[in-house]
Amino acid sequence: MNVLTEPRSTQELETILIEVNNSPHIGEITLEEMETFIQKNTIRFYYENEQFMGFGAWVIINAAWIEVGPLYVAQAARSHGIGRQITEDVIMQNKALNQYAVTRNPPMKHIFMQQGFRAVSLFRLPFVVQRFLVSKIRLRKLLRFASKRSPESVSHLIRLAANT
């Protein structure tokens, strides 16, 4: 598996975004957000034999916390352990920091729990993470997320650096 810090082309990035934004588990990711991940070196793109398999990104909340995600596995690559590999890579890359993740994808929640994350309610999250989440609220994203109906509830998960 080849791991790159940017996609092979701008056209490929646009194609990835179309697929990602059609996923029922991801609200919306913009081109600007992806470009920021690339610029800050907080994203990895995974390829197998030149074929895009997925990506894993993280957001630096402060000096002690990161948000793990967005994480994405291409439809053609699902059910082959790629999601687990991407998640483990992002977690290990940031193992010295406390980590927060949010998902409504049951297989991803299971992977996070296996990696030492524990589920917490939104109101039991550390204040720094709550403040971060409030800073991310955008009406457009809320409406887009709400339009993606899912029977799964949102899970908030944390993993403290001491658990590594």
Side-chain angles (χ1 to χ4, degrees):
M1 179 101 38
N2 292 327
V3 182
L4 305 176
T5 57
E6 55 187 55
R8 296 186 189 273
S9 70
T10 303
Q11 182 181 12
E12 182 179 59
L13 180 57
E14 292 168 358
T15 302
I16 291 168
L17 279 172
I18 290 168
E19 185 175 330
V20 167
N21 287 324
N22 284 320
S23 164
H25 301 293
I26 296 178
E28 178 183 45
I29 301 175
T30 65
L31 179 60
E32 294 76 25
E33 288 170 315
M34 292 295 276
E35 289 171 343
T36 298
F37 289 131
I38 293 166
Q39 182 182 51
K40 291 183 175 183
N41 197 29
T42 58
I43 192 167
R44 300 294 179 265
F45 294 87
Y46 291 74
Y47 293 87
E48 181 89 33
N49 299 324
E50 305 296 318
Q51 180 179 351
F52 172 73
M53 303 299 278
F55 68 81
W58 61 96
V59 178
I60 299 167
I61 297 173
N62 67 12
W65 282 91
I66 64 152
E67 177 184 21
V68 176
L71 305 168
Y72 184 73
V73 177
Q75 253 180 317
R78 292 184 187 156
S79 299
H80 299 324
I82 304 298
R84 177 176 308 283
Q85 179 180 347
I86 292 171
T87 304
E88 288 174 358
D89 288 355
V90 171
I91 290 168
M92 292 311 295
Q93 174 114 12
N94 296 284
K95 67 183 178 182
L97 299 172
N98 298 312
Q99 299 177 12
Y100 163 75
V102 59
T103 187
R104 65 178 180 185
N105 181 337
M108 284 306 303
K109 180 179 179 182
H110 180 74
I111 291 170
F112 281 123
M113 299 295 276
Q114 287 183 322
Q115 294 299 314
F117 281 75
R118 63 182 171 85
V120 296
S121 75
L122 178 63
F123 300 105
R124 302 283 304 208
L125 288 170
F127 180 71
V128 67
V129 175
Q130 290 178 0
R131 191 173 65 222
F132 166 75
L133 292 174
V134 169
S135 75
K136 289 177 37 169
I137 294 174
R138 301 289 181 270
L139 181 58
R140 176 181 160 180
K141 284 194 170 226
L142 283 175
L143 293 173
R144 175 121 169 122
F145 187 75
S147 73
K148 292 187 173 189
R149 302 191 188 267
S150 173
E152 306 301 331
S153 61
V154 173
S155 295
H156 297 274
L157 305 119
I158 60 171
R159 179 178 189 264
L160 301 178
N163 290 346
T164 58

